[in-house]
Amino acid sequence: MSSAAGLAASVKILVAGGFGVGKTTMVSSISEVAPLRTEELVTEVSAGIDDLSGVEGKTTTTVALDFGRLTIDDNLVLYLFGTPGQDRFWFLWDELALGALGAVVLADTRRLENCFAAIDYFERRGLSFTVAVNCFAGAPVYTPDEVRDALDLQLDQPVVLCDARDRASCRTVLTTLLEHLIYRSSAGVA
Ligand SMILES: Nc1nc2c(ncn2[C@@H]2O[C@H](COP(=O)(O)OP(=O)(O)OP(=O)(O)O)[C@@H](O)[C@H]2O)c(=O)[nH]1
Ligand SMILES: [Mg+2]
């Protein structure tokens, strides 16, 4: 977190998760400035590699990052960085994670296993995160406790349900993450 007298503290947050889970959608929904997107057409290189089930209409994919900004109050501004979802862009994650204070890991219950890599990455780096289940229509519905169990997460690990298209819902996800960051810092964990 960076701050100076009279200036709001700025905090960098990553929005991560598997391919097509709604990362770009979430950053775009919540950003108060025109979001930066770096989307390109999904090419045939994707065929047989990226699982498009449930998002068959998806024609573009993030190739570098998404960027957005959200002012929480006079004292705190969040800078949101959405990661690319395709495995071939993993090499960008270390750059994107530099200086980040926390992360949202988006999950889709139809392809829950796709968020394992992001969870593993943040656990290894000791970066606090919140799992947010993006509730796509028709996807199996599970409680946060069931998702936490399925992902084998600690009991104090926040898991919330959300709709990445809805600004208020995304704001709740980020508030949950901020509360978790404060809890971890007061507990001396991070
Ligand atoms: N029904 C529904 N569709 C959604 C939701 N969130 C995103 N979508 C759609 O799902 C598709 C994938 O969304 P993106 O935001 O591009 O996903 P992404 O995680 O950024 O994808 P990559 O960058 O390719 O990994 C898009 O067609 C969205 O319109 C949601 O909450 N509900
Ligand atoms: Mg994207």
Side-chain angles (χ1 to χ4, degrees):
M1 189 182 304
S2 57
S3 69
L7 291 178
S10 48
V11 168
K12 178 178 180 181
I13 301 290
L14 294 185
V15 178
F19 177 66
V21 80
K23 303 174 294 293
T24 300
T25 304
M26 174 172 269
V27 173
S28 303
S29 305
I30 194 87
S31 183
E32 64 203 10
V33 294
L36 169 77
R37 303 172 179 213
T38 58
E39 300 225 285
E40 296 292 342
L41 288 175
V42 176
T43 63
E44 65 278 6
V45 182
S46 236
I49 297 174
D50 298 314
D51 181 2
L52 275 167
S53 53
V55 285
E56 290 82 0
K58 186 171 166 58
T59 54
T60 58
T61 187
T62 302
V63 294
L65 78 165
D66 308 302
F67 174 76
R69 189 186 74 191
L70 175 67
T71 302
I72 299 292
D73 59 26
D74 288 348
N75 301 312
L76 184 60
V77 178
L78 304 185
Y79 290 94
L80 305 166
F81 289 75
T83 64
Q86 294 182 310
D87 290 348
R88 56 183 160 280
F89 295 118
W90 262 109
F91 68 94
L92 289 171
W93 279 55
D94 286 343
E95 293 284 339
L96 284 171
L98 272 181
L101 207 65
V104 173
V105 176
L106 272 174
D108 177 348
T109 57
R110 296 165 300 185
R111 304 170 287 146
L112 203 52
E113 65 284 0
N114 288 3
C115 70
F116 285 156
I119 288 175
D120 190 48
Y121 182 86
F122 295 131
E123 283 183 342
R124 275 190 286 113
R125 290 182 76 105
L127 194 71
S128 300
F129 62 92
T130 287
V131 173
V133 177
N134 189 14
C135 300
F136 286 84
V141 178
Y142 297 105
T143 65
D145 285 345
E146 288 171 323
V147 173
R148 187 183 297 103
D149 274 358
L151 295 174
D152 200 20
L153 298 171
Q154 305 275 346
L155 278 179
D156 63 357
Q157 172 63 53
V159 177
V160 289
L161 308 183
C162 75
D163 182 338
R165 301 162 300 177
D166 181 78
R167 182 177 164 81
S169 176
C170 296
R171 200 178 162 106
T172 303
V173 171
L174 291 168
T175 307
T176 304
L177 174 62
L178 291 174
E179 286 168 356
H180 186 55
L181 289 173
I182 292 166
Y183 160 75
R184 293 242 313 180
S185 130
S186 62
V189 183

